[in-house]
Amino acid sequence: MRFQSEVIVRGIKRSKGEMEGVKYDSTKFYIDNDLDDRTGNAKGTATSEYGMGTSEEYAKYDHLPFPFKAIGTFSQVTTGKVMKIVLEELKPVAASQAPKA
């Protein structure tokens, strides 16, 4: 299942290197998610980490002021036992609409 959502991106982090002969290359995005308030024991948001692309992805967003609003395209995928949400694409919204920190 694929869907889009307006999100607030709080930060990004790139990582590239090699550890014990294993190469790694990724960019992580830190995006606000609503806390589950259905039981009345939580409210507000928490930041969740989403991986997308290689360390080259970082340069596409490095120039933006943080936090910023964006339209995220996500996929809901499963292994058959475990479901997760995957970030596929991120399109920043005009800077004039960026949220206040």
Side-chain angles (χ1 to χ4, degrees):
M1 173 188 339
R2 212 168 165 194
F3 62 94
Q4 289 188 326
S5 181
E6 185 175 285
V7 297
I8 297 176
V9 179
R10 295 284 173 188
I12 57 174
K13 183 172 85 173
R14 65 180 162 199
S15 186
K16 183 176 183 177
E18 186 175 326
M19 183 178 282
E20 298 179 6
V22 178
K23 292 182 180 185
Y24 56 90
D25 188 4
S26 66
T27 297
K28 303 289 185 188
F29 292 81
Y30 298 89
I31 296 174
D32 282 357
N33 283 288
D34 294 333
L35 289 170
D36 184 355
D37 62 359
R38 294 176 294 170
T39 63
N41 293 320
K43 58 173 35 177
T45 60
T47 302
S48 298
E49 178 183 273
Y50 295 88
M52 184 177 73
T54 65
S55 58
E56 292 177 6
E57 194 74 22
Y58 182 92
K60 296 177 184 178
Y61 307 94
D62 185 36
H63 67 284
L64 296 172
F66 283 79
F68 66 88
K69 280 188 182 181
I71 301 298
T73 302
F74 298 87
S75 284
Q76 180 177 316
V77 297
T78 185
T79 63
K81 292 185 178 186
V82 177
M83 189 278 301
K84 71 178 186 175
I85 305 294
V86 177
L87 177 62
E88 291 187 354
E89 185 177 24
L90 199 60
K91 292 182 181 177
V93 176
S96 63
Q97 297 176 21
K100 302 281 187 212

